[in-house]
Amino acid sequence: MRILLIEDEKRLTDVIKKGFIESGFAVDQAFDGEEGLYLAEFESYDAVILDLMLPKIDGTSICKQLRDKKITTPILMLTAKTQLEDKITGLNVGADDYLTKPFEFAELKARINALLRRKYQQLENTIVIDDLEIDPIKRIVKRGNKIISLTPREFSILELLTRHKDQPITRTQIMEHTWDYNFDSLSNVVDVFIATLRKKVDNGHQKKLIHTVHGVGYKLSLR
Amino acid sequence: MRILLIEDEKRLTDVIKKGFIESGFAVDQAFDGEEGLYLAEFESYDAVILDLMLPKIDGTSICKQLRDKKITTPILMLTAKTQLEDKITGLNVGADDYLTKPFEFAELKARINALLRRKYQQLENTIVIDDLEIDPIKRIVKRGNKIISLTPREFSILELLTRHKDQPITRTQIMEHTWDYNFDSLSNVVDVFIATLRKKVDNGHQKKLIHTVHGVGYKLSLR
DNA sequence: ATCTTCAATCAATAAAATTCTCATACAAGC
DNA sequence: GCTTGTATGAGAATTTTATTGATTGAAGAT
C-alpha cells in the first residue's frame, strides 16, 4: 500500500509518515504543490493526503487538476481550520474526504483505511514479477504459491523495489522510503535487510530476483 | 555529471555526496567559501550546491562574484531557515533555485535534475540514438529492448557521449565529467573504459555507435 | 514486573566487483 | 618506415558489498 503525502509542515509530515510506515505503508512525500502534483500524476498511489495550504500550487488546484486528468486516486484533504467554505470547495473539486487540523493520527488512519476499503471493495490488486506476487493491500507476498512472511521494513523495501522493476534503486532512496528520518544514514542497515530479503525471497530458487547494482544500489528484475 | 558542493557541515556533506555518487555524479566538495569560489571558477561543473552560511566568504557573495565573472553554472542555494529575506537576496544575486534545511535528499536531487534539464534543454527523460536508449534519472540503458548493465564509470561516460551526440568529446572532457578533481590525468583509463563500453554497447551489433576521432577523442553517432 | 521473542541495528571481517596501471600490439597519418 | 596515437588483456590496487554474530529495544505473554 502506497500513499502520497503532500504537506509542507515538516513536523507534521514526520509524524504522519512514521505512523503509516509502522502500519506497513510506503509513504512518498512532497513538500510543495508542484512536486506533489507531479508525483500524483506520474507515480501510482493508493491514496493521497493533501494539505490545502501549500507553496507554489494550493491543494484545491491540485485536486482539480488531477481530476481533470482523470486520475481517480482517493484524495483526503487536510486543512488548518474548520471552515465550511473550504470543505465545500474541497469536496466540489473532487476530494473524497476531509479532515481538519489538529487531528489524532488514529483518525487520519481510520479515514484512509475507509477510503481504501471503498476503493478496493473486492478487487484484487497484486503486482506480479515472474512467480513473485505481492499484494500491497493485504500485505501478502507469495513466491510460487508459497507465502513468504515479511517484517514491516522488509515488506516496505520489497514493495519499493517491486514498483520500480528493472530500475536500480539507491540505498538513499530506500532509506527515505522506509525510514522516517534519513540524514544520519551512513550505516549499512539497508544491506542487512537486503540480505534477509534475499534469504526469504530468492533462496532455493533458480531465478534470482534481487540484484545488486554495484556502486549504485539494488534492483528487482528477471535477470 | 559533475557537481560542486560548497557546505561546511560535515555530516550533511557526507550524506549529500553519497546520494549523488549513487546517482552516478562526480562530486567535488569545498568546506569554506574561499575554496568553493576558487573551484567554481576554475573547474567545470554542471551545477553548484551552495550553502548560504559559510566560513571565510558567505554564499551570497560567492554567487555574486561568480555571476560577475560571467560564470553561468546553475546554482542551488541552501539555507538553514525559511527566511524570505535570504531567499530574495539569493535569487537577486543570481542563484537559480533555493532550498531550505532540513530537506529530503530526494527533493534536493529532483531540483538539481530540474536545473540540469533546463541547462541541457532536455525535455524528455530518455535519450535515444538509433536503438540505444538511455535514461539518466532511472539509470537504465537498453539497446534494442535488451538491458545493458553498466558500472558507474561506464555509465557516466556513456551518458556524456549521448548528451553530446555526433560531437567529438576529448579525453579531458570525459575526465572532467566523470572524475573529481583529485584525479591525475596522465593515464589511459578513458581508453580502457571506452574499450569495455564498446564490448557492452557495440559488440554483436551491425551498427557501431562509439567512434574514435583520431587525435581528438571519441564520439557517439550513427556512423 | 519479569521473561521471552523477534525485529532492528551495529560493527567487523570475508568476499566480490570495479577501477586503474602497465605492457604490448595495432592503426593512422605523414 | 617512422612517429604518434589508440586498443586491449592481465593482474594489482582499491572500493564496494555480503554475511555473520553480538547488542539493543520494543511488544506480548506469564
Side-chain angles (χ1 to χ4, degrees), chain A residues 110-138:
Chain A
R111 282 167 184 257
I112 287 291
N113 279 333
L115 290 181
L116 294 175
R117 259 197 309 280
R118 206 198 295 171
K119 179 181 178 194
Y120 291 113
Q121 280 162 8
Q122 55 269 53
L123 285 153
E124 280 299 321
N125 187 359
T126 61
I127 308 168
V128 179
I129 290 173
D130 199 55
D131 59 344
L132 178 73
E133 200 178 310
I134 163 168
D135 182 337
I137 298 143
K138 296 182 184 154

Side-chain angles (χ1 to χ4, degrees), chain A residues 171 188 198 212 214-215 218:
Chain A
R171 289 178 177 73
N188 71 337
R198 280 182 162 141
T212 303
H214 212 273
Y218 302 93

Side-chain angles (χ1 to χ4, degrees), chain A residues 18-104:
Chain A
K18 192 168 175 228
F20 277 105
I21 283 172
E22 278 166 7
S23 311
F25 285 60
V27 181
D28 280 0
Q29 294 176 258
F31 293 94
D32 64 58
E34 206 172 85
E35 197 188 355
L37 183 59
Y38 177 85
L39 288 173
E41 186 177 350
F42 295 107
E43 295 282 326
S44 77
Y45 298 98
D46 299 295
V48 176
I49 298 171
L50 176 60
D51 193 9
L52 209 61
M53 294 265 289
L54 284 168
K56 299 193 183 173
I57 308 175
D58 75 286
T60 318
S61 171
I62 291 177
C63 200
K64 196 166 175 331
Q65 291 186 52
L66 287 174
R67 294 311 184 216
D68 285 349
K69 285 170 182 159
K70 309 290 175 218
I71 288 160
T72 59
T73 318
I75 295 175
L76 186 148
M77 280 242 200
L78 298 180
T79 189
K81 283 172 209 157
T82 321
Q83 288 175 320
L84 193 59
E85 244 176 275
D86 285 351
K87 181 164 183 172
I88 289 166
T89 315
L91 294 174
N92 275 346
V93 119
D96 299 274
D97 198 0
Y98 203 87
L99 190 57
T100 56
K101 300 186 206 173
F103 53 83
E104 302 249 324

Side-chain angles (χ1 to χ4, degrees), chain A residues 164-168 219-221 223, chain B residues 125-150 155 158-159 162 197 200-203 205 207 209 220:
Chain A
H164 298 275
K165 182 190 163 193
D166 290 333
Q167 175 184 344
K219 72 174 178 184
L220 200 87
S221 75
R223 348 149 277 107
Chain B
N125 282 333
T126 68
I127 308 167
V128 178
I129 291 172
D130 199 54
D131 59 344
L132 178 73
E133 197 179 315
I134 167 168
D135 183 332
I137 292 171
K138 290 188 177 166
R139 225 203 100 99
I140 296 176
V141 180
K142 286 184 190 173
R143 181 140 192 199
N145 290 327
K146 223 185 145 194
I147 291 182
I148 298 174
S149 87
L150 298 177
F155 186 88
L158 183 64
E159 184 201 0
T162 48
L197 268 179
K200 292 187 178 182
V201 174
D202 276 345
N203 258 17
H205 290 263
K207 281 185 196 162
L209 295 175
L220 199 86

